[in-house]
Amino acid sequence: QVRLVESGGALVQSGGSLRLSCATSGFTLDDLDIGWFRQAPGKEREGVACVSTPEGLRWGDGTTHYTDSVKGRFTIWRDNARKMVHLQMNNLQPGDTGVYYCAADDIRCAWGLRHPGRWDHWGKGTLVTVSQ
């Protein structure tokens, strides 16, 4: 059974940094694409970043993808030894506020980032609040 548990959300001032982590269990981490999504109050869930399965596995090519608004500020990576996926977020802005969710699926990562509804496995989220 796939299980995803997010952590690391907090209240931070504009310009600050946070690292979110997604602890995974119930599957081999490299077998699935992993994505980070966020949902701000009153808005739809949107893709933030994803990391594909390693090259040679399923659709995989080992690449990472980011929504335009976070490019250059956010970094996603796999930590296979700890079965976790991290999202480092730098220079946070108030527009980054929202509940951040980790998702996993056998999906084309870049395409999946634009289609949140197509991911099968989700965590419960962690709240990030960025103040002015």
Side-chain angles (χ1 to χ4, degrees):
Q1 179 180 354
V2 174
R3 187 165 182 256
L4 308 169
V5 180
E6 302 91 339
S7 63
L11 171 64
V12 63
Q13 289 187 333
S14 181
S17 297
L18 283 175
R19 178 176 295 182
L20 304 184
S21 297
C22 175
T24 72
S25 61
F27 66 103
T28 300
L29 184 55
D30 276 348
D31 282 353
L32 297 180
D33 293 71
I34 306 295
W36 280 97
F37 297 79
R38 67 187 179 193
Q39 189 163 17
K43 294 188 177 181
E44 294 186 354
R45 193 170 299 188
E46 65 168 344
V48 174
C50 67
V51 54
S52 69
T53 53
E55 188 171 2
L57 292 180
R58 293 180 171 83
W59 311 112
D61 58 8
T63 56
T64 56
H65 303 270
Y66 301 89
T67 192
D68 286 346
S69 64
V70 308
K71 285 180 181 177
R73 300 189 297 124
F74 290 13
T75 304
I76 184 173
W77 72 99
R78 295 175 183 266
D79 179 353
N80 283 11
R82 299 173 63 195
K83 299 195 69 176
M84 301 180 80
V85 177
H86 305 289
L87 182 69
Q88 178 66 38
M89 307 187 295
N90 298 329
N91 190 21
L92 284 161
Q93 301 299 314
D96 296 316
T97 293
V99 178
Y100 281 69
Y101 299 90
C102 176
D105 206 336
D106 182 8
I107 195 170
R108 293 187 185 273
C109 173
W111 179 87
L113 203 58
R114 303 190 301 274
H115 298 86
R118 301 301 296 269
W119 295 69
D120 282 343
H121 308 288
W122 292 87
K124 294 186 177 181
T126 185
L127 177 62
V128 172
T129 305
V130 185
S131 64
Q132 294 281 3

